[in-house]
Amino acid sequence: MKQYKVYVTRMIPQKGIDLLESVADVTVNPYDAPLPGNELLREMKAGGYDGVLGLLTDRIDGEFFDACQSLKGYANYAVGYDNIDVPEATRRGIPVSNTPGVLTDATAECAWALLFATARRVVEADRVMRSGVWEGWGPLQFIGGDIRGKTLGIVGAGRIGTATALMSRGFGMKVLYTSSSNRRNKVLDAELNAELVPFEELLERSDFVSIHTPLTPGTRHLFDSAAFSRMKKTAYLINTARGPVIREDDLVRALKSGEIAGAGLDVFENEPAMAPGLAGLDNVIVLPHVGSATHSSRNGMAQLAARNLIAMLKGDRPETCLNPELFE
Ligand code: DGY
């Protein structure tokens, strides 16, 4: 028997499990599916775990901490942490961590995959080819949006927003960005001569709007009918951040009425569901929250989350801690 007991709420890449097993007895949820909230709480009460490595689909709040009295730390297998009540964890003296950095490029590449695919109608055209109805080349078929020289608006120029913006270099794009703290992004200013602008101005001037802001009370439903009415009719919206940043019913209306040209979405307001009407639209591309789904990114997340949890088990500060004040 090892010194610690750890629970992993869903199977993650083996490299992370191997690291955890070097110090702890590890139990992994045997189903490749999220544990319903009550089952997770039951497992926590019964297991007497010292540490938990969990997912963005797990609710880590007061009820969870109550169920897990012996908890020394919680490691999120995600950079986004809107699933964790961090102030509550801090109040109880429980460190919590996330996985920034290791998934930056993968998520930025996913934003670009959606940008290309929506502008050039890749999925719609693929569907036509597979259906067998294509009768050969035509001058008016599948005309889409241009990319070179267009304006890219980055909403939230943190790590992933910055990486997404830098990838526009090959396409000579003008880059605008917003910042919740109104702070200039030195990298984007120096490398791209980018402009920090108010949110409304970004909406009005951008041909592509890419969302990279975390989900907070201030960003929930940031994109609603008022925001769509400010965007160009020819503009595309890309979201690889968190679904509830968009009011999805309003987006369906904007896409149907032609208020914006299209959308590429990797995340949804009520995952795994989509708003009624969204799936039937040709001018939207929908992915099942796969922004970080590359080999190096998912292995990196598993290893970073495991290292974080091991540090917390030992009473040390994890590399990417969400409540570092506990260690001051
Ligand atoms: C995250 O890390 O927050 C993504 O949504 C999943 O990788």
Side-chain angles (χ1 to χ4, degrees):
M1 201 162 118
K2 306 240 171 68
Q3 195 180 350
Y4 306 111
K5 271 184 90 177
V6 158
Y7 190 73
V8 179
T9 68
R10 187 166 178 177
M11 192 57 192
I12 59 165
Q14 190 59 39
K15 285 173 194 273
I17 304 290
D18 290 346
L19 275 177
L20 291 174
E21 281 179 338
S22 66
V23 302
D25 289 321
V26 180
T27 307
V28 182
N29 161 14
Y31 311 105
D32 187 24
L35 275 186
N38 52 356
E39 265 186 52
L40 179 62
L41 295 178
R42 202 170 324 118
E43 181 67 41
M44 291 301 104
K45 279 184 194 141
Y49 295 105
D50 301 297
V52 174
L53 191 157
L55 312 180
L56 56 93
T57 42
D58 299 319
R59 290 246 64 80
I60 307 302
D61 53 11
E63 219 183 341
F64 173 86
F65 296 126
D66 283 344
C68 201
Q69 294 290 332
S70 47
L71 198 70
K72 296 182 173 62
Y74 168 81
N76 213 34
Y77 182 81
V79 63
Y81 55 90
D82 45 282
N83 60 316
I84 309 174
D85 185 342
V86 179
E88 182 59 23
T90 309
R91 204 179 61 72
R92 294 173 185 241
I94 300 171
V96 289
S97 65
N98 66 339
T99 59
V102 288
L103 46 65
T104 298
D105 287 332
T107 310
E109 286 161 8
C110 183
W112 275 92
L114 285 169
L115 189 155
F116 283 125
T118 45
R120 299 306 305 272
R121 303 171 64 177
V122 169
V123 175
E124 201 187 333
D126 177 89
R127 271 198 295 266
V128 165
M129 284 303 288
R130 287 170 200 270
S131 72
V133 299
W134 188 56
E135 288 180 344
W137 190 85
L140 300 180
Q141 291 172 0
F142 295 107
I143 297 174
D146 293 294
I147 297 170
R148 172 163 296 280
K150 294 291 178 184
T151 297
L152 172 63
I154 300 284
V155 176
R159 286 184 196 82
I160 298 171
T162 300
T164 303
L166 290 174
M167 287 176 191
S168 74
R169 277 184 287 208
F171 299 95
M173 296 175 92
K174 169 78 194 161
V175 171
L176 310 176
Y177 65 95
T178 62
S179 153
S180 57
S181 58
N182 214 31
R183 218 172 300 133
R184 303 205 66 91
N185 180 316
K186 291 200 179 84
V187 176
L188 293 188
D189 290 0
E191 300 270 327
L192 300 175
N193 198 18
E195 271 181 69
L196 170 63
V197 294
F199 177 61
E200 289 73 18
E201 184 177 338
L202 181 139
L203 295 177
E204 285 160 11
R205 289 176 58 195
S206 298
D207 299 298
F208 297 93
V209 175
S210 192
I211 303 176
H212 301 284
T213 181
L215 175 62
T216 64
T219 63
R220 182 175 293 274
H221 292 167
L222 183 63
F223 283 80
D224 58 5
S225 51
F228 298 129
S229 68
R230 284 184 182 269
M231 288 174 66
K232 297 182 185 181
K233 287 200 171 2
T234 49
Y236 297 88
L237 179 67
I238 308 299
N239 191 7
T240 52
R242 281 291 181 270
V245 175
I246 297 177
R247 194 188 277 274
E248 221 164 85
D249 285 332
D250 288 2
L251 175 63
V252 171
R253 273 191 289 275
L255 288 166
K256 269 191 183 155
S257 66
E259 201 158 29
I260 66 171
L265 308 172
D266 183 44
V267 287
F268 302 88
E269 191 173 350
N270 295 302
E271 292 178 12
M274 286 188 277
L278 194 66
L281 297 174
D282 269 339
N283 56 348
V284 64
I285 290 178
V286 287
L287 299 181
H289 203 147
V290 291
S292 64
T294 69
H295 295 295
S296 71
S297 168
R298 289 283 164 90
N299 281 329
M301 291 164 71
Q303 289 168 300
L304 176 54
R307 288 199 305 275
N308 278 337
L309 190 55
I310 292 169
M312 293 187 275
L313 292 173
K314 293 178 175 168
D316 296 334
R317 176 179 159 155
E319 281 167 56
T320 51
C321 191
L322 292 168
N323 45 7
E325 61 271 37
L326 289 179
F327 298 89
E328 279 157 13

